[in-house]
Amino acid sequence: QIHRLGELGLTVNISEMDVRVSQLDPNLRQIAQRQIYRDIIAAALSEACFDGIWLWGFTDRHTWVTHFYHDDEPLIFDEDYGRKEAYYGLREALSSITPNGIVGANVPLDSDVDEEGNSWGHIWMQPEPEPSAQDYAESARSEQSDDDFDDDDDGDDDGDDAGNDKPDWEIPQIT
């Protein structure tokens, strides 16, 4: 996507980056976080339009994530300001632009599959969980309640409100 934006004449910044991993198996968190930081930054650095990166902090001691989501360790230094694997992944990506560095840090930038046929992130990525019967029942109840609401303000509950493209200020207000 960075390349496509560059073709439009735009510069690209990655801002407020952090990598949340608490939903992964504890043995895989550091591996995943290192690869994500490394590969995203290495790929970005290979594009002429890439202009900079800003992390959303540097230590897990002061992360915003725990206030909005759940306990996590999304940054490159731990709570005791020690370097995590993520730090080394970021450092490896940055070293790719130094003299004798390899642009892209040997990250396969044109494919999501490595030379051995493995998908990117295969070591730590988990398959999406299969929806349970309860999930399907809740979804059906939600759709039922959505159908009972007349979004298009035409006086009926016919479901013909889909695709209403009026700007908010043109939609009649319910009083």
Side-chain angles (χ1 to χ4, degrees), residues 85-147:
E85 287 297 314
Y87 167 87
Y88 295 104
L90 181 62
R91 185 176 76 174
E92 187 177 338
L94 291 173
S95 70
S96 72
I97 59 170
T98 61
N100 299 321
I102 299 170
V103 174
N106 289 324
V107 173
L109 301 174
D110 56 351
S111 174
D112 289 338
V113 179
D114 66 17
E115 297 109 20
E116 297 166 6
N118 298 312
S119 296
W120 183 87
H122 72 281
I123 294 172
W124 52 267
M125 269 199 183
Q126 300 172 354
E128 290 291 322
E130 292 294 323
S132 67
Q134 181 179 354
D135 293 333
Y136 285 119
E138 288 174 7
S139 176
R141 280 194 300 275
S142 174
E143 289 176 17
Q144 175 67 34
S145 66
D146 288 346
D147 291 342

Side-chain angles (χ1 to χ4, degrees), residues 16-27:
E16 303 165 0
M17 182 176 180
D18 58 36
V19 179
R20 290 177 267 158
V21 292
S22 68
Q23 302 301 305
L24 293 175
D25 181 282
N27 297 327

Side-chain angles (χ1 to χ4, degrees), residues 150-153 164-174:
D150 178 25
D151 282 27
D152 62 356
D153 296 320
N164 186 341
D165 59 352
K166 292 180 184 175
D168 289 343
W169 61 86
E170 290 182 9
I171 297 174
Q173 298 299 312
I174 299 174

